[in-house]
Amino acid sequence: MLQSLASNSCVRLIQNHKSMWYFLSLVLGYILYLIFGAVVFSSVELPYEDLLRQELRAIKRQFLQENDCLSEERLERFLKKALEASNYGVSILNNASANWNWDFTSALFFASTVLSTTGYGHTAPLSDGGKAFCIIYSVIGIPFTLLFLTAVVQRIMVFTTRRPVVYIHTRWGLSKPLVAIVHATLLAMLAVSCFFLIPAAIFSALEENWNFLESFYFCFISLSTIGLGDYVPGEAANQKFRELYKVGITVYLILGLIVMLVVLETFCELQQLKQLRKMFYLRKEKPQDRVHILEHDHLSFTTVSDSTAAHNQEKTQTFVSVPTLVSPNDDPMIQ
């Protein structure tokens, strides 16, 4: 008997706090996914890092042996200065001296990466004034960019998602959830083709040292606003039409980001994903529930008030009831 009562109470507890249990499972799953990513990246990339370190040590040792007049301390200072300049996008190589990082087209490309929060990191402000302006520009520009993208995506969604789904649903009488799933899948395939596969083929042809995988990797890292900065187009020494190329890349990033948001919003409007999201959200209190709660509280208050009044009335009543005399002949003593 006690075991059945305990099991029933546990079941009721789980059902009453179902959203909380789903949320805790979501947090646990996210932590496990982070750990899984760290383990895979570490196991894959650590051997390559070790191999690169060994190659650099061997090259440095060979250089010092071939140049006895140069001490290791002077070489370390020179390399440190060169690496610091490289972190700001300035190279000491002769074939890269003609490329400026802060001409108009490069600055336009930098501004687009800042406002879209991509931030490749290959170019950064050098002066204190530039750093201060970057902070102010980002504080104003990033919310402005979010407002701009939201307004654009909201208008595009009407013509690319909502109207086509409603038209097909009413014209052919197909199930609306099924039409929405097929439409979202086709839209995602079209976006991948136009903004990942085709641009990757173009970048692999224009960039000398990029293959198709590296070009596709750049497209994904850019349009997902990760922006690692290990691959940045238009930075080659002999790049033709570099200014026009930078402007084209800026336009590609803005259009691609809009298309990605449209695809994500289309998938978010699917009924299946809405039901999935509701599992992890807090349950909103409906107006009906509030009315029932208020009625229950009012009823409880009325019941308590009536009980108190009845109790007070009983206390005021006498223990012996005295009849009311209408005339003296009614008195039993006189009779």
Side-chain angles (χ1 to χ4, degrees):
M1 184 66 181
L2 294 176
Q3 292 179 355
S4 62
L5 291 175
S7 61
N8 292 332
S9 62
C10 292
V11 171
R12 287 196 300 270
L13 179 63
I14 294 174
Q15 290 179 351
N16 293 333
H17 300 81
K18 187 182 295 184
S19 177
M20 179 61 67
W21 292 112
Y22 284 147
F23 176 73
L24 293 178
S25 63
L26 179 65
V27 173
L28 180 60
Y30 187 76
I31 294 174
L32 293 177
Y33 193 72
L34 285 176
I35 296 174
F36 169 73
V39 171
V40 172
F41 283 128
S42 178
S43 60
V44 171
E45 295 296 330
L46 193 59
Y48 287 93
E49 180 185 0
D50 183 63
L51 181 61
L52 182 59
R53 288 178 181 271
Q54 294 178 7
E55 291 179 356
L56 289 176
R57 292 194 189 99
I59 293 173
K60 178 183 175 182
R61 191 182 307 109
Q62 182 180 0
F63 181 81
L64 291 175
Q65 291 176 358
E66 294 176 354
N67 300 272
D68 298 335
C69 59
L70 182 64
S71 63
E72 185 175 0
E73 290 77 11
R74 294 178 59 187
L75 179 62
E76 289 284 346
R77 288 197 299 268
F78 173 75
L79 293 176
K80 182 179 179 181
K81 191 68 176 178
L83 291 175
E84 289 178 355
S86 179
N87 292 332
Y88 286 98
V90 179
S91 177
I92 62 173
L93 300 177
N94 292 328
N95 56 2
S97 59
N99 295 335
W100 293 89
N101 294 323
W102 293 106
D103 56 356
F104 177 76
T105 55
S106 299
L108 181 65
F109 178 71
F110 173 78
S112 66
T113 59
V114 170
L115 296 183
S116 62
T117 66
T118 303
Y120 292 111
H122 70 294
T123 302
L126 300 173
S127 62
D128 293 338
K131 295 174 183 178
F133 176 75
C134 184
I135 295 174
I136 300 173
Y137 184 73
S138 302
V139 168
I140 300 175
I142 292 177
F144 186 31
T145 304
L146 294 177
L147 176 63
F148 164 73
L149 293 176
T150 303
V152 172
V153 170
Q154 190 266 341
R155 282 163 173 77
I156 293 177
M157 286 286 295
V158 175
F159 299 98
T160 61
T161 299
R162 297 190 179 100
R163 287 187 180 179
V165 171
V166 172
Y167 175 78
I168 296 174
H169 170 64
T170 56
R171 180 67 174 80
W172 284 284
L174 299 176
S175 174
K176 192 173 182 179
L178 178 61
V179 173
I181 292 176
V182 174
H183 173 267
T185 304
L186 294 177
L187 186 64
M189 293 174 61
L190 182 63
V192 169
S193 300
C194 296
F195 287 90
F196 287 93
L197 298 177
I198 296 176
I202 295 174
F203 282 128
S204 61
L206 295 178
E207 299 291 334
E208 295 180 354
N209 300 323
W210 292 15
N211 55 27
F212 183 81
L213 177 60
E214 293 170 339
S215 301
F216 188 87
Y217 169 80
F218 163 76
C219 295
F220 177 78
I221 293 298
S222 300
L223 297 184
S224 60
T225 67
I226 298 174
L228 297 178
D230 48 351
Y231 289 92
V232 180
E235 298 297 323
N238 55 352
Q239 183 67 55
K240 297 180 181 180
F241 307 105
R242 185 172 182 268
E243 292 78 10
L244 184 61
Y245 189 34
K246 286 286 187 180
V247 173
I249 296 170
T250 303
V251 175
Y252 162 74
L253 291 177
I254 295 175
L255 292 179
L257 186 58
I258 292 174
V259 171
M260 291 301 103
L261 291 176
V262 169
V263 173
L264 290 177
E265 186 67 20
T266 301
F267 275 94
C268 288
E269 289 190 355
L270 295 178
Q271 293 295 329
Q272 292 80 358
L273 291 182
K274 287 183 179 180
Q275 295 296 329
L276 180 63
R277 293 199 306 270
K278 287 181 180 180
M279 293 172 56
F280 306 103
Y281 292 169
L282 286 175
R283 183 182 177 184
K284 294 182 180 179
E285 187 177 354
K286 299 180 180 179
Q288 303 177 17
D289 298 337
R290 296 181 181 178
V291 172
H292 292 330
I293 291 173
L294 292 175
E295 290 179 352
H296 181 270
D297 292 341
H298 179 70
L299 181 62
S300 301
F301 179 76
T302 305
T303 305
V304 172
S305 301
D306 294 342
S307 301
T308 306
H311 181 67
N312 293 332
Q313 185 177 0
E314 290 178 358
K315 293 174 68 175
T316 56
Q317 290 180 352
T318 56
F319 293 98
V320 179
S321 60
V322 179
T324 304
L325 299 178
V326 179
S327 63
N329 295 327
D330 295 335
D331 191 350
M333 297 297 295
I334 297 174
Q335 292 177 359

